[in-house]
Amino acid sequence: MENSKEQLAKMMNYALELEHAARIQYLAHAELVKGLNAEAIIKRLEEIASDEEKHQVKFRNMIGNYLGSEPSMSMAQTHKAKDIENILGINLKDEKTAIDFYKTIYKKIVDSKDDLPYAFETLEHEVRHIIMDEQEHAAELAVLLCFNVESGAAAKEEAPSKKSAGTPASKYRCKVCGYIYDPEKGDPDHGIKPGTPFEEVPDTWACPECNVNKAQFEKIN
Ligand SMILES: [Fe+2]
Ligand SMILES: [Fe+2]
C-alpha cells in the first residue's frame, strides 16, 4: 500500500496539473475578451493567471522537495468559452472545483501529520494559503459575473432583448443632477408611461429636474 507521502504527492500532482491548466486558461480567456471593451476584466484575468503560476511553483516545490516525488508536467483539461459571461462562469466553476479538491488535500495533510515530520508545517501553510487565494479568485469572479450580467451586458448586441424578456428593467441616474429614472414609475408628467424601460424612452425626453438629454444618464442597480 502507498504511504501517505506518496498519496499526497499523487494528489498534489493532480493539483499541479489543475494549476497548469488554470494558468493557460486564464491567459487564453484574457486574450479572447480583448477588444470587447473589458480592460478591467482582462487585467484581472491576467493577474489571476499569475497567481496560478505562483501556485504551480509552490506545488512543484512541495512535490519535489518535501514529498520526494517527481512533479507532473501534464495539464488538466482546459475549458473553452465564447463570451465574457461564459468566461467568468466557467472559471468560477473551475475555481470551486479546485477549492473542493484542495480542501481534501488539506485534510489529508492534517491527517498525515505524524508521517510528515519535516514537511508538515510547510505543506499545511502552503496549501492553506493556496485555498485562500482560490477562494479570493472565486469571490472576485462571482462579483465580476454579477456586475457583467447586470450592467455590462449592454456591450453585447443580444443583451437588450434578453433583458426585457427576463430581468426587470434598470434604473438610470442623471449624471448632472442625480435624478433617478425608475422604469416602474416612468415620467407620466412628461408623457412616459409607468413600465417604460429607459431604452424605450424617446430621445427627445429630457431630465425633469435639470433638462439635460438622455445621453447624460447612467445605468444604476
Ligand atoms: Fe491556483
Ligand atoms: Fe485560482
Side-chain angles (χ1 to χ4, degrees):
M1 216 188 100
E2 288 178 320
N3 64 37
S4 35
K5 269 191 169 185
E6 284 164 349
Q7 288 169 355
L8 261 176
K10 210 180 244 179
M11 291 168 94
M12 284 203 196
N13 257 328
Y14 185 58
L16 177 58
E17 291 171 10
L18 286 176
E19 295 290 347
H20 289 160
R23 177 171 168 264
I24 299 294
Q25 185 169 307
Y26 277 114
L27 290 176
H29 286 174
E31 201 62 43
L32 195 74
V33 291
K34 271 183 185 155
L36 282 180
N37 219 354
E39 286 79 7
I41 290 182
I42 293 169
K43 188 163 174 278
R44 202 48 206 131
L45 293 175
E46 287 173 348
E47 282 165 0
I48 298 179
S50 101
D51 286 348
E52 313 301 14
E53 192 174 10
K54 289 177 196 137
H55 297 162
Q56 287 176 246
V57 174
K58 288 184 172 186
F59 277 119
R60 252 197 308 268
N61 177 44
M62 289 189 275
I63 296 160
N65 297 328
Y66 287 87
L67 296 169
S69 286
E70 201 171 320
S72 171
M73 297 209 286
S74 308
M75 192 168 105
Q77 208 191 335
T78 51
H79 302 110
K80 288 202 171 90
K82 55 182 193 308
D83 56 29
I84 297 182
E85 202 176 313
N86 203 211
I87 286 172
L88 296 171
I90 285 172
N91 287 293
L92 178 57
K93 190 165 163 267
D94 287 348
E95 290 286 352
K96 286 181 176 164
T97 306
I99 292 167
D100 287 345
F101 180 53
Y102 296 176
K103 281 183 179 169
T104 63
I105 296 181
Y106 185 81
K107 188 172 182 299
K108 177 78 186 161
I109 293 169
V110 173
D111 291 345
S112 314
K113 185 175 179 181
D114 296 340
D115 303 331
L116 304 164
Y118 305 107
F120 175 76
E121 274 168 32
T122 303
L123 302 187
E124 189 276 336
H125 174 94
E126 296 284 47
V127 172
R128 182 159 44 84
H129 280 265
I130 293 173
I131 292 172
M132 282 157 61
D133 285 352
E134 308 299 14
Q135 283 169 333
E136 206 177 291
H137 295 165
E140 272 184 89
L141 292 168
V143 169
L144 288 171
L145 191 60
C146 279
F147 175 79
N148 191 62
V149 169
E150 281 176 9
S151 65
K156 285 184 289 172
E157 282 171 2
E158 77 276 19
S161 54
K162 227 204 260 171
K163 208 159 172 97
S164 46
T167 47
S170 304
K171 292 181 184 175
Y172 278 72
R173 183 196 293 116
C174 174
K175 289 191 273 188
V176 177
C177 73
Y179 167 86
I180 288 169
Y181 177 81
D182 181 347
E184 265 178 46
K185 295 181 189 148
D187 181 14
D189 290 348
H190 300 96
I192 312 297
K193 283 187 217 143
T196 309
F198 187 75
E199 294 79 3
E200 288 169 25
V201 171
D203 290 334
T204 49
W205 178 81
C207 174
E209 298 283 329
C210 74
N211 217 34
V212 296
N213 65 19
K214 273 184 79 181
Q216 299 303 317
F217 279 71
E218 61 188 359
K219 192 184 275 191
I220 52 176
N221 271 14

